[in-house]
Amino acid sequence: MEKTEKLAVLIDADNAQPSIIDALLAEIAKYGTASVKRIYGDWTLPQLKGWKEVLLTHSIQPIQQFGYTTGKNATDSAMIIDAMDLLYTGNFDGFCIVSSDSDFTKLAARIRESGLVVYGFGERKTPVPFVSACDKFIYTEVLRAEESEEETPIKKLSAAELKRDRKLIRLLRDAADAASDESGWAHLGAMGNIIAKQSPEFDPRNYGYRKLGELVKATGLFDIEEQITHRGAKAIYVRNRKRR
């Protein structure tokens, strides 16, 4: 039986929107089981009213944190202390940190130093250091779009638009080359693993595509070949056309 990862989910109520909650928890379920779900904020403030209405439904434990001093974020400190306490229990395989605040950069790095995986969730404005400190970072704009039940959550970029994104094309080509065999073909799964290590914020949905294979095909820069394994499963292979 495959082991299910136990995850601690910590939400910064000041830097996250309640409208994403269903899509957020569905996304987290792809990576493991949310064994702990806590959300931090000053619940005496009216701006957190939206969160109050969803906490009971999703069994998320609210942690009250008063702001001791103007301009200082006591919520962040409480969240960091709790995260370290949970880390030291040794009961978890990973953490989900939901915030767009760079104050959690060191926390993410410290958790990873202990050998646990860190999934970050925040808006596109999230500072690069925090994004880079996570194993994987998911932009909440994608989750918000999925929550609205649009058929295509994010505008699907055309081949021409994708090719103009030099960073994306370089990332895809480098990953395909690194994962390829002597004939130049690379298994799509291996390619995806390399991309995840190099770019935590990479997500095909950011470009309007639900899966990596769809995005790679849409660029028009790769040969795609599907094979059926001896177990009857479909395997997808990719080859960088520049190598032919």
Side-chain angles (χ1 to χ4, degrees):
M1 184 176 178
E2 186 177 351
K3 178 179 178 291
T4 301
E5 301 291 293
K6 293 179 63 178
L7 304 175
V9 180
L10 307 179
I11 304 172
D12 177 5
D14 296 326
N15 282 286
Q17 300 297 320
S19 59
I20 68 168
I21 190 61
D22 288 330
L24 171 68
L25 295 178
E27 185 73 19
I28 290 172
K30 297 178 183 178
Y31 310 115
T33 299
S35 300
V36 166
K37 291 178 287 186
R38 298 180 184 175
I39 185 167
Y40 299 76
D42 185 349
W43 301 102
T44 64
L45 300 178
Q47 55 261 42
L48 297 187
K49 180 182 178 182
W51 274 114
K52 293 179 183 178
E53 297 171 355
V54 302
L55 299 186
L56 185 61
T57 303
H58 297 282
S59 188
I60 302 174
Q61 180 184 3
I63 306 297
Q64 170 63 31
Q65 184 59 56
F66 292 104
Y68 298 119
T69 307
T70 302
K72 299 293 184 181
N73 197 333
T75 297
D76 291 0
S77 298
M79 200 165 145
I80 291 170
I81 292 170
D82 269 14
M84 295 307 295
D85 286 343
L86 292 171
L87 174 64
Y88 291 144
T89 66
N91 293 332
F92 300 92
D93 301 297
F95 281 72
C96 299
I97 302 175
V98 186
S99 179
S100 302
D101 196 330
S102 63
D103 288 351
F104 298 108
T105 301
K106 183 62 177 178
L107 173 63
R110 177 64 183 84
I111 293 172
R112 291 182 68 188
E113 286 175 2
S114 296
L116 276 65
V117 66
V118 177
Y119 301 101
F121 298 83
E123 297 178 354
R124 292 185 187 275
K125 67 179 182 181
T126 304
V128 173
F130 178 35
V131 173
S132 301
C134 300
D135 290 283
K136 184 172 181 61
F137 197 92
I138 296 93
Y139 290 123
T140 53
E141 284 85 352
V142 171
L143 303 181
R144 193 175 298 119
E146 290 184 346
E147 193 84 334
S148 67
E149 297 182 351
E150 296 175 6
E151 186 174 345
T152 304
I154 301 293
K155 178 183 177 294
K156 185 175 289 187
L157 300 186
S158 66
E161 290 172 317
L162 293 172
K163 289 175 183 176
R164 285 197 294 268
D165 189 334
R166 294 186 177 182
K167 181 180 178 181
L168 169 65
I169 298 305
R170 184 170 61 252
L171 180 68
L172 295 177
R173 279 179 164 161
D174 288 350
D177 290 344
S180 65
D181 57 20
E182 294 181 356
S183 65
W185 287 97
H187 189 280
L188 183 65
M191 181 177 168
N193 289 335
I194 292 172
I195 291 174
K197 293 176 182 177
Q198 295 179 342
S199 181
E201 77 277 16
F202 175 82
D203 191 325
R205 293 172 297 182
N206 293 334
Y207 306 92
Y209 296 88
R210 294 190 177 277
K211 296 183 178 180
L212 175 60
E214 296 174 1
L215 174 62
V216 171
K217 184 177 181 179
T219 66
L221 299 174
F222 299 87
D223 294 321
I224 309 290
E225 184 176 284
E226 295 184 0
Q227 298 181 6
I228 303 300
T229 68
H230 65 282
R231 294 184 178 181
K234 183 172 69 173
I236 300 176
Y237 290 86
V238 176
R239 181 171 62 181
N240 184 355
R241 286 180 179 170
K242 290 184 71 174
R243 292 193 54 172
R244 287 190 303 178

